[in-house]
């Protein structure tokens, strides 16, 4: 397939279309991380939900209460 | 997102084979119903997502892509049914790529180049199947019920994940909070039992040490100076005889029996009776109000359903539900039962001390039943066991509250205690009969049992503390989630509301310059009111016309898509939208799309030629970037109003010596051609109110107009002393003149009176020169390089130039000094 001649133009990574839901969830995790006592929990939740895409209750519970697992 | 350069469709839906060049620009497919326009939409959607909306969802019965995606004659050849899209990907620096999908392997597209960026770009399109907007969907954003609209909009914005997580967090928070009373009760029971051993009224470090240290001293153990979380009160004790089977510690057993008697006495006390009576009266009062009673049942059911919902189907009726729809619907119903919730909470508060008393009696019974089994011979404690079962039933009924009549029945009898005296007397006698322990033995038993109960208490306390932490954390997360998501959603709706209103004002700037709109989110619903000429805000269906509502649907869609994709909104298919919008407003729609979405490639379908003309004249569709469908047959698929299809088809008729059909098609084509030529050359045509123009109304005007324009161009070229241009125009005039003359001789043969009558009896040989003459004649109206018909620029006002699509012809019509 043809590609454009000017490689510089193509060098920029593609703008990944983020769903509105992902943006809102991201805002929530940012807010939660700033709350006292949630500095470690928020990134764990973010990973489960946004990176792994898991919304199942056991996984969310495990992220919220790692001491119980 | 992408822009489509070319579509190649093969044996797909109603299309045998079709290639459309879109060049990454706006494109329109126009034609009467049943000529294959929607087949193109299906093809685009299929190539990009593997699905065809028209064959999925409610109301489609047993239709499927697999069975009905291929052309009807290729049902058994799903591998032959394919769509190929050549695309440009702006986010990758306008990289070119291709995606091909066959019905046989609908879920596995062939992508070239198959590098990860290109694959990701196609995946991102697949994530947004809402790029196709059909008329049936357009209106649903506008006139649907608030709850349904919320669903539609949230579905377009893909907010289902927000509701899914909200549901899970709420469930966790509810469960954690619900666990607390049980944990608190366990801790209280553990304290009661510990206090019974210690024979003290209050649990404190000092009271424990004061009870423990004298016993330790008796046993020669050093006193404990502090009581920490892991301190053992029997530390240093070498034997643990109290825990040996069959051994009942006399002192503690006597104390526990006393506790049981106290608990049973408490159940029969006047104050307990009064508490039960008051709660029963209030429950009776609540039961009299049928609405409240019904509400109470509904509230309990709704709460249970919310707690048990698994994110897929209603736990009560097993109907599949989207998370946002389910939680939103139930939360909305619960909100209406606020008053009932308050009355339930009041009764639950009254029941709490009653439940505590029942629980305390049950716990004391448990202890004594255990002791009964330790004696040798065992003491029969059937009465105690039976009453424990009765108490458990009472406790469970009061906890669940409903049915209210059962709760009332329990409350009426909650103070009744059966005669258990024979068992209690037997236990008393057995305890008395236990040999009096030595002081050392008693001290040892005390320390062992105290340690055992202290550990139970510590475990219960830790569990309660952990439960409180969990409940607190889960509640905080859920509350924070609610705040953040509500704020974000309100902001989205505000942004969309502003963009929507501005778009709508743009297409209605003649009379709705002050138009505003209100999107009002609430639990599970999205209210949508629009201004009606300054008279207030109303639902869009209240006063606005269907045409205005169509416009609103498009504007809301555009505002949502713009919000959803931002700069990635590079591509949208508008399938037969805006049919109720009148001509003037459609021009404004064209302006809106052109000005506000310059980087978005729109693909339109319409059966309205005038709409296509508007799109062309407003510059939304440029050059030949449209397909004008003429007919569709099951054998051939769609045919276009273009040279390739028309002349080939005429030749086909002639080959079969079907002159009548060839003549009819030629005339039909010339009517279409004349309309197009008059439009492009801005010919003067007598106005007809019914818009029904005959060939004679148009073709002579188109012919004379082109002649006049060439003359005018020649005059202008002479005035600018452009001899080469004058020569070029001269050559065009000659060719045009010859073509015109030839058709002049033959025109009678395309007269409807001829080709619809047998007497004409034209043979193939008679008609071939006619076709050749008209083919040369129509060719003379366009460029030999780009095949596009000449047009006058600009399309309004003073005529300045005669041009073709590729620029090979660009004749100035303005004389020097004009």
């Amino acid at each position: 397939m043809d590609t454009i001649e000017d490689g510089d133009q193509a060098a920029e990574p593609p703008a990944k279309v983020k769903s509105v839901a992902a943006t809102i969830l991201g805002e929530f995790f940012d807010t939660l991380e700033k709350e006292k006592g949630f500095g470690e929990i928020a990134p764990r939740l973010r990973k489960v939900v946004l990176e792994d895409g898991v919304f199942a209750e056991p996984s969310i519970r495990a992220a919220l209460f790692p001491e119980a697992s | 997102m992408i822009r489509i350069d070319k579509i190649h469709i093969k044996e797909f839906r109603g299309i045998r084979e079709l290639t459309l060049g879109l060049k990454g620009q706006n494109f329109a497919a126009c034609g009467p119903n049943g000529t294959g326009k929607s087949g193109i939409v299906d093809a685009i959607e299929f190539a990009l997502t593997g699905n065809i909306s028209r064959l999925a969802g409610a109301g489609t019965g047993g239709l499927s892509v697999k069975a009905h995606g291929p052309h009807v004659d290729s049902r058994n050849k799903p591998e032959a049914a394919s769509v190929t899209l050549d695309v440009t990907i702006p986010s990758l620096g306008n990289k070119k790529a291709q995606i091909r999908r066959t019905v046989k392997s609908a879920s596995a597209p062939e992508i070239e180049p198959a590098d990860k960026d290109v694959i990701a770009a196609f995946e991102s399109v697949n994530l947004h199947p809402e790029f196709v907007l059909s008329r049936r969907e357009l209106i649903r954003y506008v006139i649907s019920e608030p709850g349904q609209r919320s669903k539609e909009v949230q579905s377009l914005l893909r907010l289902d994940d927000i509701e899914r997580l909200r549901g899970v967090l709420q469930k966790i928070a509810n469960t954690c909070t619900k666990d607390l009373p049980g944990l608190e009760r366990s801790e209280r029971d553990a304290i009661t039992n510990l206090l019974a051993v210690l024979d003290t009224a209050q649990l404190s470090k000092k009271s424990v040490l004061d009870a423990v240290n004298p016993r330790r001293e008796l046993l020669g153990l050093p006193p404990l100076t502090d009581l920490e979380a892991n301190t053992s009160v029997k530390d240093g004790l070498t034997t643990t005889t109290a825990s040996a089977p069959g051994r009942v510690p006399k002192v503690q057993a006597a104390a526990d029996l006393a506790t049981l008697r106290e608990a049973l006495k408490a159940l029969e006390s006047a104050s307990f009776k009064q508490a039960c009576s008051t709660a029963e009266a209030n429950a009776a009062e609540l039961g009299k109000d049928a609405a409240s009673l019904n509400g109470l049942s509904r509230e309990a059911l709704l709460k249970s359903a919310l707690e048990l919902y698994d994110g897929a189907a209603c736990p009560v009726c097993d109907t599949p539900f989207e998370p946002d729809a389910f939680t939103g619907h139930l939360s909305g119903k619960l909100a209406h039962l606020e008053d009932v919730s308050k009355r339930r909470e009041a009764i639950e508060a009254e029941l709490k001390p009653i439940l505590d008393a029942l629980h305390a009696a049950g716990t004391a019974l448990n202890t004594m039943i255990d002791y009964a089994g330790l004696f040798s011979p065992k003491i029969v404690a059937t009465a105690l066991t039976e009453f424990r079962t009765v108490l458990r039933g009472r406790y469970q009924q009061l906890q669940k509250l409903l049915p209210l009549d059962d709760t009332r029945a329990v409350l009426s009898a909650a103070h009744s205690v059966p005669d258990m005296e024979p068992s209690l007397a037997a236990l008393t006698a057995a305890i008395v009969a236990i040999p009096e322990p030595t002081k050392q033995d008693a001290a040892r038993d005390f320390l062992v049992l105290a340690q055992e109960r202290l550990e139970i208490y510590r475990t219960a306390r830790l569990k309660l503390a952990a439960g409180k932490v969990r409940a607190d954390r889960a509640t905080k997360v859920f509350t924070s989630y609610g705040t953040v998501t509500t704020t974000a959603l309100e902001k989205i709706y505000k942004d969309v509301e502003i963009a929507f209103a501005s778009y709508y004002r743009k297409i209605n700037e003649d009379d709705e310059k002050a138009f505003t709109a209100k999107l009002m989110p609430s639990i599970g619903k999205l209210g949508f009111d629009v201004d009606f000429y300054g008279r207030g805000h109303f639902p869009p269906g209240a006063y606005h016309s269907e045409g205005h509502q169509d416009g609103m649907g498009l504007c809301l869609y555009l505002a949502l898509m713009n919000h959803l994709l931002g700069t990635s909104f590079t591509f949208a298919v508008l399938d037969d939208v805006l049919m109720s919008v009148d001509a003037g407003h459609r021009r404004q729609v064209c302006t809106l799309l052109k000005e506000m979405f310059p980087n978005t490639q729109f693909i339109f379908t319409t059966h309205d030629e005038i709409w296509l003309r508007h799109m062309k004249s407003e510059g939304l569709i440029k050059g030949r970037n449209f397909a004008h469908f003429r007919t569709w047959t099951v054998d051939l698929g769609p045919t276009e109003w273009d040279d390739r299809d028309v002349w080939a088809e005429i030749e086909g008729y002639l080959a079969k010596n079907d002159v009548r059909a060839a003549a009819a098609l030629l005339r039909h084509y010339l009517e279409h051609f004349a309309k197009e030529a008059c439009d492009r050359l801005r010919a003067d045509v007598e106005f007809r109110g019914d818009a029904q123009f005959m060939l004679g109304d148009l073709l002579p005007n188109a012919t004379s107009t082109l002649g006049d324009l060439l003359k005018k161009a020649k005059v202008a070229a002479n005035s600018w002393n452009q001899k080469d241009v004058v020569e070029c125009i001269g050559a065009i005039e000659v060719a045009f003149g010859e073509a015109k003359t030839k058709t002049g001789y033959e025109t009678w043969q395309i007269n409807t009176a001829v080709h619809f009558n047998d007497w004409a009896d034209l043979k193939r040989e008679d008609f071939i020169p006619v076709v050749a003459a008209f083919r040369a004649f129509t060719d003379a109206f366009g460029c030999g390089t780009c095949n596009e018909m000449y047009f006058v620029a600009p399309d309004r006002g003073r005529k300045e130039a005669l041009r073709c699509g590729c620029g090979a012809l660009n004749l100035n019509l303005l004389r020097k000094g004009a």
Side-chain angles (χ1 to χ4, degrees), chain A residues 2 4 20-21 35 55 57 64 67, chain B residues 93 96 158 168 171 473 480 492:
Chain A
D2 295 336
I4 56 152
V20 175
E35 280 185 33
F55 289 78
E57 189 188 333
L64 269 178
E67 65 278 2
Chain B
K96 302 286 181 189
R158 299 179 72 79
V168 172
K171 196 174 173 187
R473 193 183 293 169
S480 170
I492 287 174

mmCIF file with all atom_site columns, all heavy atoms in Angstrom, chain A residues 2 4 20-21 35 55 57 64 67, chain B residues 93 96 158 168 171 473 480 492:
data_model
loop_
_atom_site.group_PDB
_atom_site.id
_atom_site.type_symbol
_atom_site.label_atom_id
_atom_site.label_alt_id
_atom_site.label_comp_id
_atom_site.label_asym_id
_atom_site.label_entity_id
_atom_site.label_seq_id
_atom_site.pdbx_PDB_ins_code
_atom_site.Cartn_x
_atom_site.Cartn_y
_atom_site.Cartn_z
_atom_site.occupancy
_atom_site.B_iso_or_equiv
_atom_site.pdbx_formal_charge
_atom_site.auth_seq_id
_atom_site.auth_comp_id
_atom_site.auth_asym_id
_atom_site.auth_atom_id
_atom_site.pdbx_PDB_model_num
ATOM 1   N N   . ASP A 1 2   ? 0.305   2.291  -0.520 1.00 0.00 ? 2   ASP A N   1
ATOM 2   C CA  . ASP A 1 2   ? 1.054   3.549  -0.549 1.00 0.00 ? 2   ASP A CA  1
ATOM 3   C C   . ASP A 1 2   ? 1.085   4.167  0.841  1.00 0.00 ? 2   ASP A C   1
ATOM 4   O O   . ASP A 1 2   ? 0.156   4.078  1.595  1.00 0.00 ? 2   ASP A O   1
ATOM 5   C CB  . ASP A 1 2   ? 0.357   4.538  -1.490 1.00 0.00 ? 2   ASP A CB  1
ATOM 6   C CG  . ASP A 1 2   ? 0.405   4.030  -2.902 1.00 0.00 ? 2   ASP A CG  1
ATOM 7   O OD1 . ASP A 1 2   ? 1.317   3.224  -3.185 1.00 0.00 ? 2   ASP A OD1 1
ATOM 8   O OD2 . ASP A 1 2   ? -0.457  4.418  -3.699 1.00 0.00 ? 2   ASP A OD2 1
ATOM 9   N N   . ILE A 1 4   ? 2.546   7.919  2.735  1.00 0.00 ? 4   ILE A N   1
ATOM 10  C CA  . ILE A 1 4   ? 2.951   9.268  2.326  1.00 0.00 ? 4   ILE A CA  1
ATOM 11  C C   . ILE A 1 4   ? 4.464   9.380  2.312  1.00 0.00 ? 4   ILE A C   1
ATOM 12  O O   . ILE A 1 4   ? 5.161   8.664  3.014  1.00 0.00 ? 4   ILE A O   1
ATOM 13  C CB  . ILE A 1 4   ? 2.355   10.341 3.243  1.00 0.00 ? 4   ILE A CB  1
ATOM 14  C CG1 . ILE A 1 4   ? 2.751   10.046 4.694  1.00 0.00 ? 4   ILE A CG1 1
ATOM 15  C CG2 . ILE A 1 4   ? 0.888   10.471 3.100  1.00 0.00 ? 4   ILE A CG2 1
ATOM 16  C CD1 . ILE A 1 4   ? 2.818   11.270 5.487  1.00 0.00 ? 4   ILE A CD1 1
ATOM 17  N N   . VAL A 1 20  ? -15.784 8.425  25.917 1.00 0.00 ? 20  VAL A N   1
ATOM 18  C CA  . VAL A 1 20  ? -16.166 9.379  26.954 1.00 0.00 ? 20  VAL A CA  1
ATOM 19  C C   . VAL A 1 20  ? -16.124 8.690  28.312 1.00 0.00 ? 20  VAL A C   1
ATOM 20  O O   . VAL A 1 20  ? -15.673 9.255  29.304 1.00 0.00 ? 20  VAL A O   1
ATOM 21  C CB  . VAL A 1 20  ? -17.575 9.937  26.662 1.00 0.00 ? 20  VAL A CB  1
ATOM 22  C CG1 . VAL A 1 20  ? -18.033 10.841 27.785 1.00 0.00 ? 20  VAL A CG1 1
ATOM 23  C CG2 . VAL A 1 20  ? -17.571 10.700 25.358 1.00 0.00 ? 20  VAL A CG2 1
ATOM 24  N N   . ALA A 1 21  ? -16.556 7.420  28.325 1.00 0.00 ? 21  ALA A N   1
ATOM 25  C CA  . ALA A 1 21  ? -16.558 6.676  29.583 1.00 0.00 ? 21  ALA A CA  1
ATOM 26  C C   . ALA A 1 21  ? -15.137 6.561  30.133 1.00 0.00 ? 21  ALA A C   1
ATOM 27  O O   . ALA A 1 21  ? -14.907 6.769  31.324 1.00 0.00 ? 21  ALA A O   1
ATOM 28  C CB  . ALA A 1 21  ? -17.153 5.290  29.365 1.00 0.00 ? 21  ALA A CB  1
ATOM 29  N N   . GLU A 1 35  ? -7.328  11.623 47.253 1.00 0.00 ? 35  GLU A N   1
ATOM 30  C CA  . GLU A 1 35  ? -7.999  11.532 48.553 1.00 0.00 ? 35  GLU A CA  1
ATOM 31  C C   . GLU A 1 35  ? -7.133  10.766 49.548 1.00 0.00 ? 35  GLU A C   1
ATOM 32  O O   . GLU A 1 35  ? -6.457  9.804  49.190 1.00 0.00 ? 35  GLU A O   1
ATOM 33  C CB  . GLU A 1 35  ? -9.368  10.851 48.400 1.00 0.00 ? 35  GLU A CB  1
ATOM 34  C CG  . GLU A 1 35  ? -10.427 11.811 47.875 1.00 0.00 ? 35  GLU A CG  1
ATOM 35  C CD  . GLU A 1 35  ? -11.814 11.191 47.840 1.00 0.00 ? 35  GLU A CD  1
ATOM 36  O OE1 . GLU A 1 35  ? -12.111 10.368 48.709 1.00 0.00 ? 35  GLU A OE1 1
ATOM 37  O OE2 . GLU A 1 35  ? -12.581 11.559 46.934 1.00 0.00 ? 35  GLU A OE2 1
ATOM 38  N N   . PHE A 1 55  ? -14.682 -5.405 34.958 1.00 0.00 ? 55  PHE A N   1
ATOM 39  C CA  . PHE A 1 55  ? -15.659 -4.734 35.812 1.00 0.00 ? 55  PHE A CA  1
ATOM 40  C C   . PHE A 1 55  ? -16.318 -5.723 36.780 1.00 0.00 ? 55  PHE A C   1
ATOM 41  O O   . PHE A 1 55  ? -17.300 -5.391 37.417 1.00 0.00 ? 55  PHE A O   1
ATOM 42  C CB  . PHE A 1 55  ? -16.749 -4.069 34.958 1.00 0.00 ? 55  PHE A CB  1
ATOM 43  C CG  . PHE A 1 55  ? -16.265 -2.876 34.198 1.00 0.00 ? 55  PHE A CG  1
ATOM 44  C CD1 . PHE A 1 55  ? -15.533 -3.021 33.029 1.00 0.00 ? 55  PHE A CD1 1
ATOM 45  C CD2 . PHE A 1 55  ? -16.520 -1.599 34.655 1.00 0.00 ? 55  PHE A CD2 1
ATOM 46  C CE1 . PHE A 1 55  ? -15.074 -1.928 32.336 1.00 0.00 ? 55  PHE A CE1 1
ATOM 47  C CE2 . PHE A 1 55  ? -16.074 -0.490 33.961 1.00 0.00 ? 55  PHE A CE2 1
ATOM 48  C CZ  . PHE A 1 55  ? -15.352 -0.652 32.797 1.00 0.00 ? 55  PHE A CZ  1
ATOM 49  N N   . GLU A 1 57  ? -17.195 -7.883 39.975 1.00 0.00 ? 57  GLU A N   1
ATOM 50  C CA  . GLU A 1 57  ? -17.166 -7.504 41.386 1.00 0.00 ? 57  GLU A CA  1
ATOM 51  C C   . GLU A 1 57  ? -15.957 -8.080 42.148 1.00 0.00 ? 57  GLU A C   1
ATOM 52  O O   . GLU A 1 57  ? -15.311 -7.343 42.896 1.00 0.00 ? 57  GLU A O   1
ATOM 53  C CB  . GLU A 1 57  ? -18.477 -7.918 42.055 1.00 0.00 ? 57  GLU A CB  1
ATOM 54  C CG  . GLU A 1 57  ? -18.584 -7.366 43.457 1.00 0.00 ? 57  GLU A CG  1
ATOM 55  C CD  . GLU A 1 57  ? -19.778 -7.929 44.207 1.00 0.00 ? 57  GLU A CD  1
ATOM 56  O OE1 . GLU A 1 57  ? -20.753 -8.299 43.549 1.00 0.00 ? 57  GLU A OE1 1
ATOM 57  O OE2 . GLU A 1 57  ? -19.699 -7.994 45.447 1.00 0.00 ? 57  GLU A OE2 1
ATOM 58  N N   . LEU A 1 64  ? -9.993  -2.991 45.850 1.00 0.00 ? 64  LEU A N   1
ATOM 59  C CA  . LEU A 1 64  ? -10.376 -2.099 46.952 1.00 0.00 ? 64  LEU A CA  1
ATOM 60  C C   . LEU A 1 64  ? -9.844  -2.591 48.298 1.00 0.00 ? 64  LEU A C   1
ATOM 61  O O   . LEU A 1 64  ? -9.450  -1.794 49.145 1.00 0.00 ? 64  LEU A O   1
ATOM 62  C CB  . LEU A 1 64  ? -11.905 -2.026 47.036 1.00 0.00 ? 64  LEU A CB  1
ATOM 63  C CG  . LEU A 1 64  ? -12.631 -0.947 46.254 1.00 0.00 ? 64  LEU A CG  1
ATOM 64  C CD1 . LEU A 1 64  ? -14.130 -1.105 46.442 1.00 0.00 ? 64  LEU A CD1 1
ATOM 65  C CD2 . LEU A 1 64  ? -12.203 0.437  46.685 1.00 0.00 ? 64  LEU A CD2 1
ATOM 66  N N   . GLU A 1 67  ? -5.991  -6.170 51.402 1.00 0.00 ? 67  GLU A N   1
ATOM 67  C CA  . GLU A 1 67  ? -5.627  -6.808 52.677 1.00 0.00 ? 67  GLU A CA  1
ATOM 68  C C   . GLU A 1 67  ? -6.513  -8.027 52.964 1.00 0.00 ? 67  GLU A C   1
ATOM 69  O O   . GLU A 1 67  ? -6.139  -8.899 53.730 1.00 0.00 ? 67  GLU A O   1
ATOM 70  C CB  . GLU A 1 67  ? -5.717  -5.797 53.831 1.00 0.00 ? 67  GLU A CB  1
ATOM 71  C CG  . GLU A 1 67  ? -7.121  -5.266 54.135 1.00 0.00 ? 67  GLU A CG  1
ATOM 72  C CD  . GLU A 1 67  ? -7.557  -4.127 53.231 1.00 0.00 ? 67  GLU A CD  1
ATOM 73  O OE1 . GLU A 1 67  ? -6.792  -3.749 52.331 1.00 0.00 ? 67  GLU A OE1 1
ATOM 74  O OE2 . GLU A 1 67  ? -8.686  -3.623 53.420 1.00 0.00 ? 67  GLU A OE2 1
ATOM 75  N N   . GLY B 2 93  ? -0.821  10.548 9.683  1.00 0.00 ? 93  GLY B N   1
ATOM 76  C CA  . GLY B 2 93  ? -0.185  11.351 8.648  1.00 0.00 ? 93  GLY B CA  1
ATOM 77  C C   . GLY B 2 93  ? -0.715  11.004 7.271  1.00 0.00 ? 93  GLY B C   1
ATOM 78  O O   . GLY B 2 93  ? 0.050   10.898 6.306  1.00 0.00 ? 93  GLY B O   1
ATOM 79  N N   . LYS B 2 96  ? -2.213  5.562  3.801  1.00 0.00 ? 96  LYS B N   1
ATOM 80  C CA  . LYS B 2 96  ? -3.218  4.834  3.031  1.00 0.00 ? 96  LYS B CA  1
ATOM 81  C C   . LYS B 2 96  ? -3.305  3.404  3.563  1.00 0.00 ? 96  LYS B C   1
ATOM 82  O O   . LYS B 2 96  ? -2.278  2.810  3.931  1.00 0.00 ? 96  LYS B O   1
ATOM 83  C CB  . LYS B 2 96  ? -2.824  4.777  1.548  1.00 0.00 ? 96  LYS B CB  1
ATOM 84  C CG  . LYS B 2 96  ? -2.649  6.133  0.913  1.00 0.00 ? 96  LYS B CG  1
ATOM 85  C CD  . LYS B 2 96  ? -3.978  6.793  0.667  1.00 0.00 ? 96  LYS B CD  1
ATOM 86  C CE  . LYS B 2 96  ? -3.780  8.151  -0.004 1.00 0.00 ? 96  LYS B CE  1
ATOM 87  N NZ  . LYS B 2 96  ? -5.032  8.912  -0.065 1.00 0.00 ? 96  LYS B NZ  1
ATOM 88  N N   . ARG B 2 158 ? -21.353 5.916  24.668 1.00 0.00 ? 158 ARG B N   1
ATOM 89  C CA  . ARG B 2 158 ? -20.757 4.690  25.217 1.00 0.00 ? 158 ARG B CA  1
ATOM 90  C C   . ARG B 2 158 ? -20.487 4.823  26.711 1.00 0.00 ? 158 ARG B C   1
ATOM 91  O O   . ARG B 2 158 ? -19.382 4.625  27.189 1.00 0.00 ? 158 ARG B O   1
ATOM 92  C CB  . ARG B 2 158 ? -19.489 4.337  24.462 1.00 0.00 ? 158 ARG B CB  1
ATOM 93  C CG  . ARG B 2 158 ? -19.746 4.084  22.979 1.00 0.00 ? 158 ARG B CG  1
ATOM 94  C CD  . ARG B 2 158 ? -18.487 3.757  22.256 1.00 0.00 ? 158 ARG B CD  1
ATOM 95  N NE  . ARG B 2 158 ? -18.009 2.434  22.601 1.00 0.00 ? 158 ARG B NE  1
ATOM 96  C CZ  . ARG B 2 158 ? -18.493 1.303  22.092 1.00 0.00 ? 158 ARG B CZ  1
ATOM 97  N NH1 . ARG B 2 158 ? -19.465 1.353  21.227 1.00 0.00 ? 158 ARG B NH1 1
ATOM 98  N NH2 . ARG B 2 158 ? -18.005 0.148  22.449 1.00 0.00 ? 158 ARG B NH2 1
ATOM 99  N N   . VAL B 2 168 ? -21.364 -1.888 40.374 1.00 0.00 ? 168 VAL B N   1
ATOM 100 C CA  . VAL B 2 168 ? -20.472 -2.753 41.158 1.00 0.00 ? 168 VAL B CA  1
ATOM 101 C C   . VAL B 2 168 ? -20.062 -2.059 42.457 1.00 0.00 ? 168 VAL B C   1
ATOM 102 O O   . VAL B 2 168 ? -20.108 -2.652 43.542 1.00 0.00 ? 168 VAL B O   1
ATOM 103 C CB  . VAL B 2 168 ? -19.224 -3.132 40.329 1.00 0.00 ? 168 VAL B CB  1
ATOM 104 C CG1 . VAL B 2 168 ? -18.208 -3.858 41.182 1.00 0.00 ? 168 VAL B CG1 1
ATOM 105 C CG2 . VAL B 2 168 ? -19.616 -4.004 39.148 1.00 0.00 ? 168 VAL B CG2 1
ATOM 106 N N   . LYS B 2 171 ? -22.901 -1.978 44.859 1.00 0.00 ? 171 LYS B N   1
ATOM 107 C CA  . LYS B 2 171 ? -23.131 -3.298 45.442 1.00 0.00 ? 171 LYS B CA  1
ATOM 108 C C   . LYS B 2 171 ? -22.115 -3.576 46.556 1.00 0.00 ? 171 LYS B C   1
ATOM 109 O O   . LYS B 2 171 ? -22.474 -4.050 47.627 1.00 0.00 ? 171 LYS B O   1
ATOM 110 C CB  . LYS B 2 171 ? -23.016 -4.347 44.331 1.00 0.00 ? 171 LYS B CB  1
ATOM 111 C CG  . LYS B 2 171 ? -23.580 -5.683 44.696 1.00 0.00 ? 171 LYS B CG  1
ATOM 112 C CD  . LYS B 2 171 ? -23.563 -6.597 43.486 1.00 0.00 ? 171 LYS B CD  1
ATOM 113 C CE  . LYS B 2 171 ? -23.976 -8.000 43.882 1.00 0.00 ? 171 LYS B CE  1
ATOM 114 N NZ  . LYS B 2 171 ? -23.825 -8.935 42.783 1.00 0.00 ? 171 LYS B NZ  1
ATOM 115 N N   . ARG B 2 473 ? -14.365 2.673  53.369 1.00 0.00 ? 473 ARG B N   1
ATOM 116 C CA  . ARG B 2 473 ? -13.644 2.831  52.103 1.00 0.00 ? 473 ARG B CA  1
ATOM 117 C C   . ARG B 2 473 ? -14.599 2.676  50.913 1.00 0.00 ? 473 ARG B C   1
ATOM 118 O O   . ARG B 2 473 ? -14.593 3.481  49.988 1.00 0.00 ? 473 ARG B O   1
ATOM 119 C CB  . ARG B 2 473 ? -12.540 1.770  52.033 1.00 0.00 ? 473 ARG B CB  1
ATOM 120 C CG  . ARG B 2 473 ? -11.530 2.029  50.926 1.00 0.00 ? 473 ARG B CG  1
ATOM 121 C CD  . ARG B 2 473 ? -10.516 0.905  50.872 1.00 0.00 ? 473 ARG B CD  1
ATOM 122 N NE  . ARG B 2 473 ? -9.663  0.848  52.041 1.00 0.00 ? 473 ARG B NE  1
ATOM 123 C CZ  . ARG B 2 473 ? -8.849  -0.177 52.310 1.00 0.00 ? 473 ARG B CZ  1
ATOM 124 N NH1 . ARG B 2 473 ? -8.797  -1.212 51.503 1.00 0.00 ? 473 ARG B NH1 1
ATOM 125 N NH2 . ARG B 2 473 ? -8.087  -0.163 53.378 1.00 0.00 ? 473 ARG B NH2 1
ATOM 126 N N   . SER B 2 480 ? -17.522 9.274  46.097 1.00 0.00 ? 480 SER B N   1
ATOM 127 C CA  . SER B 2 480 ? -16.635 10.040 45.220 1.00 0.00 ? 480 SER B CA  1
ATOM 128 C C   . SER B 2 480 ? -16.954 9.744  43.754 1.00 0.00 ? 480 SER B C   1
ATOM 129 O O   . SER B 2 480 ? -16.981 10.640 42.911 1.00 0.00 ? 480 SER B O   1
ATOM 130 C CB  . SER B 2 480 ? -15.179 9.665  45.543 1.00 0.00 ? 480 SER B CB  1
ATOM 131 O OG  . SER B 2 480 ? -14.316 10.185 44.590 1.00 0.00 ? 480 SER B OG  1
ATOM 132 N N   . ILE B 2 492 ? -20.619 17.244 30.268 1.00 0.00 ? 492 ILE B N   1
ATOM 133 C CA  . ILE B 2 492 ? -20.804 16.756 28.896 1.00 0.00 ? 492 ILE B CA  1
ATOM 134 C C   . ILE B 2 492 ? -22.126 17.268 28.337 1.00 0.00 ? 492 ILE B C   1
ATOM 135 O O   . ILE B 2 492 ? -22.191 17.813 27.239 1.00 0.00 ? 492 ILE B O   1
ATOM 136 C CB  . ILE B 2 492 ? -20.809 15.210 28.867 1.00 0.00 ? 492 ILE B CB  1
ATOM 137 C CG1 . ILE B 2 492 ? -19.408 14.692 29.100 1.00 0.00 ? 492 ILE B CG1 1
ATOM 138 C CG2 . ILE B 2 492 ? -21.340 14.691 27.529 1.00 0.00 ? 492 ILE B CG2 1
ATOM 139 C CD1 . ILE B 2 492 ? -19.334 13.190 29.225 1.00 0.00 ? 492 ILE B CD1 1
#
